[in-house]
Amino acid sequence: MEKNNMIKVPLEKLRFADPNRRTGDQKFDTKPMSYAKDVFIRFCKNKSSVVAAIIIILLVLFSILVPIFCETNYSQSLTDTTYLKYKHLLPKNEAFVGTGFWDGCENDTINENRYYTLMALEKETGYKAITEIHDNYKENGKKYYDVRVDSYIANGMEYIDLSLEQFNDIQKWQNENNIQVIFPAVNEKTKDPKTGKELIAASKQGDADVWYATTEKGYPRVNSKGEYTACYADKNDQKYSGLLYTPEYYNYDSLRIEGDNGDYLYASVSATRVGNKVITSYKVRVLLDTYFQYRYGHEASFLFGTNQKGQDVLTRLAAGARFSLVLAVCISAINLFIGAMYGAVEGFYGGTIDIVMERISDILGGMPSMVVMSLFQLHLASKVGPVWSMVFAFVLTGWLGMAARTRMQFYRFKHQEYVLAAKTLGASDKRLIFKHIFPNAMGTLITGSVLSIPGVIFSESSLTYLGIVNLESSTQTSVGTLLSGGNGLLMSYPHIILFPALFISLLEISFNLFGNGLRDAFNPSLKGIED
Amino acid sequence: MLKYVAKRVLLMICVFLVIISMCFILVKLLPDKPPQAMPNSDAYNIIMMRREALGYNKPLIEQYGIFMTKTLLGIDFGKTAQGEQKQILFGYDLKNHVFKGGNWGLSEQMYPNHEVWDVFLQKLPPTMLVNIYTMLFAVPIGLALGIYAALKKNKWQDHLVSTGVMVFISVPGYVYCFLIQYILCYKMVEWTGWGFPLQMLSGTNYFTWKMFVSLIPAILSLGLGTIAGLARYTRAELCEVLTSEFMLLARTKGLTRGQATVRHALRNSMVPIFPMILGEFIGIIGGSLIVEQIFGIPGVGGLYLASITALDYNFYLLLNSFYTLVGLASGIVVDLSYGFVDPRIRMGER
């Protein structure tokens, strides 16, 4: 059955032992090995655990470093709500632009109306919202296009209100960088130059993307050459959309779009007189993509895309991961501490103390964690916040496992001869517990503690995902909150869920592998088995 | 044995009562949520009068007494609104001979004026249905994979199964839910033109083919974890048994490897596995909150979550007791079944 495991020694190296030589009194040539070193060496032999440990280190570094270096990133500020305009952008890496992968584009089937809107955007700005057209077909009398859409450009235009300083600042930036942010204002009362009738664009009031005349159905009016009819506000056309064109407050001296001979207006100005001061406000159409560049000094490009609130998934994920990791490590440490104390008392003294204390942990262990968690949330969340009440709830039942482990170890060691010897020599209980028994139990306890970390992360993310622990009101975020945010968007924007889910899966797998390796390394009975 | 069983059950009841008492007092300490109706309207006054009648304004200790007798034990010999004598003992109506369960009160927020107990009973079938299907499909596959891996120990088949098991145990359940929902319900429509429905069908026709199809994504998501857990456990147990001495004896006696494995190894490895399966069967009543939420299963889990957000305390108390009972019962069944499966094991022996 068993294989013959004899080591093969070459014949020339084989030498008989010298019966006269006494080896007993000689010193070892090799250095003695400490327990920790032995554990480390045996841990390193387990390749998958070492890889898992490296992955854990990388993930931890990710969650520490990304929030530090991306702190200036735009969704951090609570007062600046500009990011709300950039929701659902797809993951994009500058290096991959044009490769058809990770470039912020997605294949989509769009209807005719959307197609013309995006084409109009391209015509006006020169940026391609539709990067490729695969196919077009008719179904039930409606035309559809299979296209590849760049989500960053397709985000389109937006009306924003600016003060005079901001308006001038954008102009200055435009001149310096030669990138156009502000596009001409639209006059919704433009008249057809031939017939003199008002063109229809009224149905699209407020939609900043529409700068052209439309048919009654809302489609763009295209002439036989495929040209749009522009409805820009013109300096010479005094009535425009009810908004004031006040020449004394309007000065635009910056980039102009193609085909503009200097007559188009780039803002609708409203001026109100407060006392002696005139406060002006400029309502402008900006292209969101270039506006982002103006505002944050770099191109809009999110490695993991943005979520339903327009926050960068990368930095949110790092912040959430940091929260989850810190929480899990703290809770494991607290549980280790309480559990070790409780279990030590139980195990060392035994008898009635043990029975009473075991019944207490029986009762606590019988409570489903969901019940404990929700009760704590209901009672404490309004007083100490959801995070602290979650910590209390985790600690309340979490130490039970550690206590049982410690108790078991104490039962194992307390009747051993060396403890008896120490007792005979008059060692106090304190000394017996801390000096003699604990060091022997430590390996098991530490592994148990490490192995409990993925469990805590898992329950925390489930609880925040289900909304039992509601972190919305606090400034913290966790991986579970990120997942629940993307809940209804799985079909249309899978990246919002994909990255947090990938992260937590990787973390759980690595922690389990790492814990298993640690357990084997700390287990002296496995020593030498695999050699 | 009987003595031991009785002792365990009694102990379980004690633990259950302590936990429920704690829950009850903690819930009663929370401020009552004001009724949804306008203050001083008729509906508002009715709710307030009903609360008065149900003893909401009595001292806590008196409320606790009412809760213990009427709700938990289901003993009620009071008078109905019509002045008739009620005769309900342990939830059983002695007059009309029907089982009604304890009086858990009326829902105030989520299902106004519905008996909490009745709503709970309505929600139970979908939860149980999903979980029974899951067990029926997951247990055989999990066992088979575990046995296969143990028989091929340290070969590539074993490594493949073990790696898969490791991954499926570690990855949180909701991640498969997302994956399965995305692939089977969404991408499949793009690829083949047909896909599974995103959510469970509505309605109460639980045993139709369409309903079953709509449940498949949920069953798969629930089953993967169970399969992985069971496979790992079975592999570990069977590996241990296969290396034991009596297997050697069986082979020397002249049994083939197959005979020895089926007759001796498998039976013995079932000793710890069978209680585990039994425990999971009890656990299925509790269901999974996340799977129910993602796949829109109108089960107990959703009710529990909703009762927490809506602060419907009567539901909350009932479901807390339910989950506690399920947890305690599955623990006890696992412990006791060890003794029944293998008479050599005497639980609780000194």
mmCIF file with all atom_site columns, all heavy atoms in Angstrom, chain A residues 370-371 374-375 378-379 461 483 491 508 512, chain B residues 26 170 174 186 289 293-294 304 311 316 320:
data_model
loop_
_atom_site.group_PDB
_atom_site.id
_atom_site.type_symbol
_atom_site.label_atom_id
_atom_site.label_alt_id
_atom_site.label_comp_id
_atom_site.label_asym_id
_atom_site.label_entity_id
_atom_site.label_seq_id
_atom_site.pdbx_PDB_ins_code
_atom_site.Cartn_x
_atom_site.Cartn_y
_atom_site.Cartn_z
_atom_site.occupancy
_atom_site.B_iso_or_equiv
_atom_site.pdbx_formal_charge
_atom_site.auth_seq_id
_atom_site.auth_comp_id
_atom_site.auth_asym_id
_atom_site.auth_atom_id
_atom_site.pdbx_PDB_model_num
ATOM 1   N N   . MET A 1 370 ? -28.704 37.987 12.585  1.00 0.00 ? 370 MET A N   1
ATOM 2   C CA  . MET A 1 370 ? -29.591 38.973 11.974  1.00 0.00 ? 370 MET A CA  1
ATOM 3   C C   . MET A 1 370 ? -30.415 39.696 13.045  1.00 0.00 ? 370 MET A C   1
ATOM 4   O O   . MET A 1 370 ? -30.619 40.899 12.991  1.00 0.00 ? 370 MET A O   1
ATOM 5   C CB  . MET A 1 370 ? -30.565 38.227 11.079  1.00 0.00 ? 370 MET A CB  1
ATOM 6   C CG  . MET A 1 370 ? -30.585 38.513 9.615   1.00 0.00 ? 370 MET A CG  1
ATOM 7   S SD  . MET A 1 370 ? -29.362 39.521 8.906   1.00 0.00 ? 370 MET A SD  1
ATOM 8   C CE  . MET A 1 370 ? -28.917 38.501 7.548   1.00 0.00 ? 370 MET A CE  1
ATOM 9   N N   . VAL A 1 371 ? -30.895 38.914 14.030  1.00 0.00 ? 371 VAL A N   1
ATOM 10  C CA  . VAL A 1 371 ? -31.733 39.487 15.081  1.00 0.00 ? 371 VAL A CA  1
ATOM 11  C C   . VAL A 1 371 ? -30.918 40.470 15.921  1.00 0.00 ? 371 VAL A C   1
ATOM 12  O O   . VAL A 1 371 ? -31.344 41.596 16.183  1.00 0.00 ? 371 VAL A O   1
ATOM 13  C CB  . VAL A 1 371 ? -32.310 38.356 15.957  1.00 0.00 ? 371 VAL A CB  1
ATOM 14  C CG1 . VAL A 1 371 ? -33.019 38.917 17.151  1.00 0.00 ? 371 VAL A CG1 1
ATOM 15  C CG2 . VAL A 1 371 ? -33.217 37.463 15.154  1.00 0.00 ? 371 VAL A CG2 1
ATOM 16  N N   . SER A 1 374 ? -30.142 43.664 13.870  1.00 0.00 ? 374 SER A N   1
ATOM 17  C CA  . SER A 1 374 ? -31.255 44.585 13.639  1.00 0.00 ? 374 SER A CA  1
ATOM 18  C C   . SER A 1 374 ? -31.686 45.248 14.948  1.00 0.00 ? 374 SER A C   1
ATOM 19  O O   . SER A 1 374 ? -32.012 46.433 14.962  1.00 0.00 ? 374 SER A O   1
ATOM 20  C CB  . SER A 1 374 ? -32.415 43.867 12.979  1.00 0.00 ? 374 SER A CB  1
ATOM 21  O OG  . SER A 1 374 ? -32.741 42.723 13.698  1.00 0.00 ? 374 SER A OG  1
ATOM 22  N N   . LEU A 1 375 ? -31.636 44.493 16.053  1.00 0.00 ? 375 LEU A N   1
ATOM 23  C CA  . LEU A 1 375 ? -31.998 45.099 17.340  1.00 0.00 ? 375 LEU A CA  1
ATOM 24  C C   . LEU A 1 375 ? -31.033 46.230 17.689  1.00 0.00 ? 375 LEU A C   1
ATOM 25  O O   . LEU A 1 375 ? -31.458 47.308 18.116  1.00 0.00 ? 375 LEU A O   1
ATOM 26  C CB  . LEU A 1 375 ? -31.959 44.050 18.452  1.00 0.00 ? 375 LEU A CB  1
ATOM 27  C CG  . LEU A 1 375 ? -33.237 43.252 18.647  1.00 0.00 ? 375 LEU A CG  1
ATOM 28  C CD1 . LEU A 1 375 ? -33.028 42.170 19.673  1.00 0.00 ? 375 LEU A CD1 1
ATOM 29  C CD2 . LEU A 1 375 ? -34.369 44.165 19.082  1.00 0.00 ? 375 LEU A CD2 1
ATOM 30  N N   . LEU A 1 378 ? -31.788 49.219 15.546  1.00 0.00 ? 378 LEU A N   1
ATOM 31  C CA  . LEU A 1 378 ? -32.996 49.938 15.952  1.00 0.00 ? 378 LEU A CA  1
ATOM 32  C C   . LEU A 1 378 ? -32.742 50.766 17.207  1.00 0.00 ? 378 LEU A C   1
ATOM 33  O O   . LEU A 1 378 ? -33.247 51.872 17.357  1.00 0.00 ? 378 LEU A O   1
ATOM 34  C CB  . LEU A 1 378 ? -34.137 48.955 16.210  1.00 0.00 ? 378 LEU A CB  1
ATOM 35  C CG  . LEU A 1 378 ? -34.712 48.264 14.976  1.00 0.00 ? 378 LEU A CG  1
ATOM 36  C CD1 . LEU A 1 378 ? -35.731 47.228 15.378  1.00 0.00 ? 378 LEU A CD1 1
ATOM 37  C CD2 . LEU A 1 378 ? -35.352 49.274 14.052  1.00 0.00 ? 378 LEU A CD2 1
ATOM 38  N N   . HIS A 1 379 ? -31.944 50.198 18.144  1.00 0.00 ? 379 HIS A N   1
ATOM 39  C CA  . HIS A 1 379 ? -31.776 50.877 19.414  1.00 0.00 ? 379 HIS A CA  1
ATOM 40  C C   . HIS A 1 379 ? -30.683 51.932 19.390  1.00 0.00 ? 379 HIS A C   1
ATOM 41  O O   . HIS A 1 379 ? -30.828 53.000 19.950  1.00 0.00 ? 379 HIS A O   1
ATOM 42  C CB  . HIS A 1 379 ? -31.455 49.849 20.513  1.00 0.00 ? 379 HIS A CB  1
ATOM 43  C CG  . HIS A 1 379 ? -32.688 49.369 21.192  1.00 0.00 ? 379 HIS A CG  1
ATOM 44  N ND1 . HIS A 1 379 ? -33.289 50.065 22.188  1.00 0.00 ? 379 HIS A ND1 1
ATOM 45  C CD2 . HIS A 1 379 ? -33.451 48.289 20.986  1.00 0.00 ? 379 HIS A CD2 1
ATOM 46  C CE1 . HIS A 1 379 ? -34.373 49.426 22.581  1.00 0.00 ? 379 HIS A CE1 1
ATOM 47  N NE2 . HIS A 1 379 ? -34.493 48.331 21.857  1.00 0.00 ? 379 HIS A NE2 1
ATOM 48  N N   . SER A 1 461 ? -20.605 43.012 4.567   1.00 0.00 ? 461 SER A N   1
ATOM 49  C CA  . SER A 1 461 ? -21.036 43.436 3.233   1.00 0.00 ? 461 SER A CA  1
ATOM 50  C C   . SER A 1 461 ? -22.469 42.984 2.968   1.00 0.00 ? 461 SER A C   1
ATOM 51  O O   . SER A 1 461 ? -23.237 43.698 2.329   1.00 0.00 ? 461 SER A O   1
ATOM 52  C CB  . SER A 1 461 ? -20.086 42.911 2.161   1.00 0.00 ? 461 SER A CB  1
ATOM 53  O OG  . SER A 1 461 ? -20.100 41.519 2.128   1.00 0.00 ? 461 SER A OG  1
ATOM 54  N N   . LEU A 1 483 ? -22.390 47.808 -3.641  1.00 0.00 ? 483 LEU A N   1
ATOM 55  C CA  . LEU A 1 483 ? -23.127 46.772 -4.374  1.00 0.00 ? 483 LEU A CA  1
ATOM 56  C C   . LEU A 1 483 ? -24.616 47.092 -4.395  1.00 0.00 ? 483 LEU A C   1
ATOM 57  O O   . LEU A 1 483 ? -25.273 46.967 -5.427  1.00 0.00 ? 483 LEU A O   1
ATOM 58  C CB  . LEU A 1 483 ? -22.909 45.409 -3.725  1.00 0.00 ? 483 LEU A CB  1
ATOM 59  C CG  . LEU A 1 483 ? -21.534 44.791 -3.932  1.00 0.00 ? 483 LEU A CG  1
ATOM 60  C CD1 . LEU A 1 483 ? -21.370 43.574 -3.052  1.00 0.00 ? 483 LEU A CD1 1
ATOM 61  C CD2 . LEU A 1 483 ? -21.354 44.402 -5.380  1.00 0.00 ? 483 LEU A CD2 1
ATOM 62  N N   . MET A 1 491 ? -28.185 45.213 -15.289 1.00 0.00 ? 491 MET A N   1
ATOM 63  C CA  . MET A 1 491 ? -28.342 44.917 -16.701 1.00 0.00 ? 491 MET A CA  1
ATOM 64  C C   . MET A 1 491 ? -27.721 46.001 -17.576 1.00 0.00 ? 491 MET A C   1
ATOM 65  O O   . MET A 1 491 ? -27.057 45.720 -18.552 1.00 0.00 ? 491 MET A O   1
ATOM 66  C CB  . MET A 1 491 ? -29.826 44.794 -17.044 1.00 0.00 ? 491 MET A CB  1
ATOM 67  C CG  . MET A 1 491 ? -30.543 43.790 -16.211 1.00 0.00 ? 491 MET A CG  1
ATOM 68  S SD  . MET A 1 491 ? -29.781 42.190 -16.342 1.00 0.00 ? 491 MET A SD  1
ATOM 69  C CE  . MET A 1 491 ? -29.886 41.616 -14.679 1.00 0.00 ? 491 MET A CE  1
ATOM 70  N N   . GLU A 1 508 ? -11.911 37.466 -0.333  1.00 0.00 ? 508 GLU A N   1
ATOM 71  C CA  . GLU A 1 508 ? -12.373 36.310 0.437   1.00 0.00 ? 508 GLU A CA  1
ATOM 72  C C   . GLU A 1 508 ? -11.542 35.077 0.094   1.00 0.00 ? 508 GLU A C   1
ATOM 73  O O   . GLU A 1 508 ? -11.117 34.340 0.989   1.00 0.00 ? 508 GLU A O   1
ATOM 74  C CB  . GLU A 1 508 ? -13.848 36.025 0.132   1.00 0.00 ? 508 GLU A CB  1
ATOM 75  C CG  . GLU A 1 508 ? -14.803 37.105 0.590   1.00 0.00 ? 508 GLU A CG  1
ATOM 76  C CD  . GLU A 1 508 ? -15.108 37.002 2.063   1.00 0.00 ? 508 GLU A CD  1
ATOM 77  O OE1 . GLU A 1 508 ? -15.171 35.884 2.571   1.00 0.00 ? 508 GLU A OE1 1
ATOM 78  O OE2 . GLU A 1 508 ? -15.282 38.051 2.704   1.00 0.00 ? 508 GLU A OE2 1
ATOM 79  N N   . ASN A 1 512 ? -9.092  33.135 2.769   1.00 0.00 ? 512 ASN A N   1
ATOM 80  C CA  . ASN A 1 512 ? -9.297  31.735 3.121   1.00 0.00 ? 512 ASN A CA  1
ATOM 81  C C   . ASN A 1 512 ? -8.043  30.920 2.865   1.00 0.00 ? 512 ASN A C   1
ATOM 82  O O   . ASN A 1 512 ? -7.638  30.107 3.700   1.00 0.00 ? 512 ASN A O   1
ATOM 83  C CB  . ASN A 1 512 ? -10.464 31.150 2.323   1.00 0.00 ? 512 ASN A CB  1
ATOM 84  C CG  . ASN A 1 512 ? -11.783 31.455 2.994   1.00 0.00 ? 512 ASN A CG  1
ATOM 85  O OD1 . ASN A 1 512 ? -11.814 31.652 4.202   1.00 0.00 ? 512 ASN A OD1 1
ATOM 86  N ND2 . ASN A 1 512 ? -12.838 31.520 2.240   1.00 0.00 ? 512 ASN A ND2 1
ATOM 87  N N   . LEU B 2 26  ? -36.649 44.446 24.541  1.00 0.00 ? 26  LEU B N   1
ATOM 88  C CA  . LEU B 2 26  ? -35.912 45.436 23.746  1.00 0.00 ? 26  LEU B CA  1
ATOM 89  C C   . LEU B 2 26  ? -36.810 46.097 22.711  1.00 0.00 ? 26  LEU B C   1
ATOM 90  O O   . LEU B 2 26  ? -36.723 47.304 22.472  1.00 0.00 ? 26  LEU B O   1
ATOM 91  C CB  . LEU B 2 26  ? -34.719 44.773 23.065  1.00 0.00 ? 26  LEU B CB  1
ATOM 92  C CG  . LEU B 2 26  ? -33.527 44.501 23.963  1.00 0.00 ? 26  LEU B CG  1
ATOM 93  C CD1 . LEU B 2 26  ? -32.481 43.691 23.249  1.00 0.00 ? 26  LEU B CD1 1
ATOM 94  C CD2 . LEU B 2 26  ? -32.941 45.810 24.467  1.00 0.00 ? 26  LEU B CD2 1
ATOM 95  N N   . SER B 2 170 ? -15.439 30.366 -0.878  1.00 0.00 ? 170 SER B N   1
ATOM 96  C CA  . SER B 2 170 ? -14.961 31.687 -0.464  1.00 0.00 ? 170 SER B CA  1
ATOM 97  C C   . SER B 2 170 ? -15.804 32.822 -1.026  1.00 0.00 ? 170 SER B C   1
ATOM 98  O O   . SER B 2 170 ? -16.090 33.793 -0.339  1.00 0.00 ? 170 SER B O   1
ATOM 99  C CB  . SER B 2 170 ? -13.526 31.896 -0.932  1.00 0.00 ? 170 SER B CB  1
ATOM 100 O OG  . SER B 2 170 ? -12.730 30.823 -0.555  1.00 0.00 ? 170 SER B OG  1
ATOM 101 N N   . TYR B 2 174 ? -23.840 36.427 -2.819  1.00 0.00 ? 174 TYR B N   1
ATOM 102 C CA  . TYR B 2 174 ? -24.496 37.409 -3.689  1.00 0.00 ? 174 TYR B CA  1
ATOM 103 C C   . TYR B 2 174 ? -23.734 37.619 -4.984  1.00 0.00 ? 174 TYR B C   1
ATOM 104 O O   . TYR B 2 174 ? -24.317 38.027 -5.980  1.00 0.00 ? 174 TYR B O   1
ATOM 105 C CB  . TYR B 2 174 ? -24.735 38.734 -2.964  1.00 0.00 ? 174 TYR B CB  1
ATOM 106 C CG  . TYR B 2 174 ? -23.556 39.309 -2.229  1.00 0.00 ? 174 TYR B CG  1
ATOM 107 C CD1 . TYR B 2 174 ? -22.545 39.943 -2.907  1.00 0.00 ? 174 TYR B CD1 1
ATOM 108 C CD2 . TYR B 2 174 ? -23.474 39.225 -0.854  1.00 0.00 ? 174 TYR B CD2 1
ATOM 109 C CE1 . TYR B 2 174 ? -21.465 40.465 -2.232  1.00 0.00 ? 174 TYR B CE1 1
ATOM 110 C CE2 . TYR B 2 174 ? -22.398 39.748 -0.170  1.00 0.00 ? 174 TYR B CE2 1
ATOM 111 C CZ  . TYR B 2 174 ? -21.400 40.370 -0.858  1.00 0.00 ? 174 TYR B CZ  1
ATOM 112 O OH  . TYR B 2 174 ? -20.341 40.890 -0.200  1.00 0.00 ? 174 TYR B OH  1
ATOM 113 N N   . TYR B 2 186 ? -29.990 37.795 -18.633 1.00 0.00 ? 186 TYR B N   1
ATOM 114 C CA  . TYR B 2 186 ? -29.830 38.974 -19.472 1.00 0.00 ? 186 TYR B CA  1
ATOM 115 C C   . TYR B 2 186 ? -29.021 38.665 -20.722 1.00 0.00 ? 186 TYR B C   1
ATOM 116 O O   . TYR B 2 186 ? -29.480 38.844 -21.845 1.00 0.00 ? 186 TYR B O   1
ATOM 117 C CB  . TYR B 2 186 ? -29.178 40.084 -18.660 1.00 0.00 ? 186 TYR B CB  1
ATOM 118 C CG  . TYR B 2 186 ? -28.931 41.335 -19.426 1.00 0.00 ? 186 TYR B CG  1
ATOM 119 C CD1 . TYR B 2 186 ? -30.000 42.078 -19.922 1.00 0.00 ? 186 TYR B CD1 1
ATOM 120 C CD2 . TYR B 2 186 ? -27.643 41.783 -19.660 1.00 0.00 ? 186 TYR B CD2 1
ATOM 121 C CE1 . TYR B 2 186 ? -29.770 43.234 -20.638 1.00 0.00 ? 186 TYR B CE1 1
ATOM 122 C CE2 . TYR B 2 186 ? -27.415 42.939 -20.362 1.00 0.00 ? 186 TYR B CE2 1
ATOM 123 C CZ  . TYR B 2 186 ? -28.482 43.652 -20.854 1.00 0.00 ? 186 TYR B CZ  1
ATOM 124 O OH  . TYR B 2 186 ? -28.252 44.796 -21.555 1.00 0.00 ? 186 TYR B OH  1
ATOM 125 N N   . LEU B 2 289 ? -31.864 35.551 2.889   1.00 0.00 ? 289 LEU B N   1
ATOM 126 C CA  . LEU B 2 289 ? -32.380 36.907 2.705   1.00 0.00 ? 289 LEU B CA  1
ATOM 127 C C   . LEU B 2 289 ? -31.937 37.485 1.368   1.00 0.00 ? 289 LEU B C   1
ATOM 128 O O   . LEU B 2 289 ? -32.713 38.083 0.640   1.00 0.00 ? 289 LEU B O   1
ATOM 129 C CB  . LEU B 2 289 ? -31.862 37.801 3.824   1.00 0.00 ? 289 LEU B CB  1
ATOM 130 C CG  . LEU B 2 289 ? -32.336 37.490 5.226   1.00 0.00 ? 289 LEU B CG  1
ATOM 131 C CD1 . LEU B 2 289 ? -31.663 38.412 6.207   1.00 0.00 ? 289 LEU B CD1 1
ATOM 132 C CD2 . LEU B 2 289 ? -33.826 37.672 5.307   1.00 0.00 ? 289 LEU B CD2 1
ATOM 133 N N   . GLN B 2 293 ? -34.096 38.550 -1.954  1.00 0.00 ? 293 GLN B N   1
ATOM 134 C CA  . GLN B 2 293 ? -34.197 39.948 -2.363  1.00 0.00 ? 293 GLN B CA  1
ATOM 135 C C   . GLN B 2 293 ? -33.828 40.128 -3.830  1.00 0.00 ? 293 GLN B C   1
ATOM 136 O O   . GLN B 2 293 ? -34.513 40.824 -4.565  1.00 0.00 ? 293 GLN B O   1
ATOM 137 C CB  . GLN B 2 293 ? -33.293 40.798 -1.478  1.00 0.00 ? 293 GLN B CB  1
ATOM 138 C CG  . GLN B 2 293 ? -33.715 42.243 -1.469  1.00 0.00 ? 293 GLN B CG  1
ATOM 139 C CD  . GLN B 2 293 ? -32.548 43.160 -1.332  1.00 0.00 ? 293 GLN B CD  1
ATOM 140 O OE1 . GLN B 2 293 ? -31.423 42.821 -1.678  1.00 0.00 ? 293 GLN B OE1 1
ATOM 141 N NE2 . GLN B 2 293 ? -32.811 44.341 -0.819  1.00 0.00 ? 293 GLN B NE2 1
ATOM 142 N N   . ILE B 2 294 ? -32.745 39.470 -4.259  1.00 0.00 ? 294 ILE B N   1
ATOM 143 C CA  . ILE B 2 294 ? -32.280 39.681 -5.634  1.00 0.00 ? 294 ILE B CA  1
ATOM 144 C C   . ILE B 2 294 ? -33.253 39.096 -6.639  1.00 0.00 ? 294 ILE B C   1
ATOM 145 O O   . ILE B 2 294 ? -33.532 39.695 -7.674  1.00 0.00 ? 294 ILE B O   1
ATOM 146 C CB  . ILE B 2 294 ? -30.871 39.078 -5.813  1.00 0.00 ? 294 ILE B CB  1
ATOM 147 C CG1 . ILE B 2 294 ? -29.869 39.877 -4.995  1.00 0.00 ? 294 ILE B CG1 1
ATOM 148 C CG2 . ILE B 2 294 ? -30.460 39.074 -7.279  1.00 0.00 ? 294 ILE B CG2 1
ATOM 149 C CD1 . ILE B 2 294 ? -28.464 39.381 -5.079  1.00 0.00 ? 294 ILE B CD1 1
ATOM 150 N N   . TYR B 2 304 ? -39.050 39.957 6.554   1.00 0.00 ? 304 TYR B N   1
ATOM 151 C CA  . TYR B 2 304 ? -38.222 40.342 7.696   1.00 0.00 ? 304 TYR B CA  1
ATOM 152 C C   . TYR B 2 304 ? -37.533 41.685 7.443   1.00 0.00 ? 304 TYR B C   1
ATOM 153 O O   . TYR B 2 304 ? -37.595 42.590 8.282   1.00 0.00 ? 304 TYR B O   1
ATOM 154 C CB  . TYR B 2 304 ? -37.194 39.244 7.934   1.00 0.00 ? 304 TYR B CB  1
ATOM 155 C CG  . TYR B 2 304 ? -36.359 39.434 9.173   1.00 0.00 ? 304 TYR B CG  1
ATOM 156 C CD1 . TYR B 2 304 ? -36.957 39.587 10.411  1.00 0.00 ? 304 TYR B CD1 1
ATOM 157 C CD2 . TYR B 2 304 ? -34.980 39.444 9.118   1.00 0.00 ? 304 TYR B CD2 1
ATOM 158 C CE1 . TYR B 2 304 ? -36.209 39.747 11.544  1.00 0.00 ? 304 TYR B CE1 1
ATOM 159 C CE2 . TYR B 2 304 ? -34.215 39.608 10.247  1.00 0.00 ? 304 TYR B CE2 1
ATOM 160 C CZ  . TYR B 2 304 ? -34.833 39.757 11.452  1.00 0.00 ? 304 TYR B CZ  1
ATOM 161 O OH  . TYR B 2 304 ? -34.083 39.927 12.585  1.00 0.00 ? 304 TYR B OH  1
ATOM 162 N N   . LEU B 2 311 ? -40.514 49.301 10.504  1.00 0.00 ? 311 LEU B N   1
ATOM 163 C CA  . LEU B 2 311 ? -40.723 49.268 11.960  1.00 0.00 ? 311 LEU B CA  1
ATOM 164 C C   . LEU B 2 311 ? -42.079 48.675 12.322  1.00 0.00 ? 311 LEU B C   1
ATOM 165 O O   . LEU B 2 311 ? -42.815 49.219 13.148  1.00 0.00 ? 311 LEU B O   1
ATOM 166 C CB  . LEU B 2 311 ? -40.582 50.665 12.571  1.00 0.00 ? 311 LEU B CB  1
ATOM 167 C CG  . LEU B 2 311 ? -39.239 51.341 12.368  1.00 0.00 ? 311 LEU B CG  1
ATOM 168 C CD1 . LEU B 2 311 ? -39.210 52.667 13.083  1.00 0.00 ? 311 LEU B CD1 1
ATOM 169 C CD2 . LEU B 2 311 ? -38.102 50.472 12.866  1.00 0.00 ? 311 LEU B CD2 1
ATOM 170 N N   . TYR B 2 316 ? -41.878 41.897 13.257  1.00 0.00 ? 316 TYR B N   1
ATOM 171 C CA  . TYR B 2 316 ? -40.482 41.772 13.654  1.00 0.00 ? 316 TYR B CA  1
ATOM 172 C C   . TYR B 2 316 ? -40.325 40.753 14.770  1.00 0.00 ? 316 TYR B C   1
ATOM 173 O O   . TYR B 2 316 ? -39.456 39.878 14.723  1.00 0.00 ? 316 TYR B O   1
ATOM 174 C CB  . TYR B 2 316 ? -39.986 43.154 14.078  1.00 0.00 ? 316 TYR B CB  1
ATOM 175 C CG  . TYR B 2 316 ? -38.541 43.201 14.449  1.00 0.00 ? 316 TYR B CG  1
ATOM 176 C CD1 . TYR B 2 316 ? -37.564 42.915 13.502  1.00 0.00 ? 316 TYR B CD1 1
ATOM 177 C CD2 . TYR B 2 316 ? -38.149 43.529 15.738  1.00 0.00 ? 316 TYR B CD2 1
ATOM 178 C CE1 . TYR B 2 316 ? -36.234 42.941 13.842  1.00 0.00 ? 316 TYR B CE1 1
ATOM 179 C CE2 . TYR B 2 316 ? -36.825 43.565 16.076  1.00 0.00 ? 316 TYR B CE2 1
ATOM 180 C CZ  . TYR B 2 316 ? -35.868 43.279 15.128  1.00 0.00 ? 316 TYR B CZ  1
ATOM 181 O OH  . TYR B 2 316 ? -34.549 43.299 15.468  1.00 0.00 ? 316 TYR B OH  1
ATOM 182 N N   . ASN B 2 320 ? -38.426 37.245 14.413  1.00 0.00 ? 320 ASN B N   1
ATOM 183 C CA  . ASN B 2 320 ? -37.289 36.993 15.293  1.00 0.00 ? 320 ASN B CA  1
ATOM 184 C C   . ASN B 2 320 ? -37.442 35.653 15.991  1.00 0.00 ? 320 ASN B C   1
ATOM 185 O O   . ASN B 2 320 ? -36.501 34.866 16.056  1.00 0.00 ? 320 ASN B O   1
ATOM 186 C CB  . ASN B 2 320 ? -37.194 38.089 16.364  1.00 0.00 ? 320 ASN B CB  1
ATOM 187 C CG  . ASN B 2 320 ? -36.378 39.261 15.875  1.00 0.00 ? 320 ASN B CG  1
ATOM 188 O OD1 . ASN B 2 320 ? -35.781 39.194 14.818  1.00 0.00 ? 320 ASN B OD1 1
ATOM 189 N ND2 . ASN B 2 320 ? -36.371 40.328 16.635  1.00 0.00 ? 320 ASN B ND2 1
#
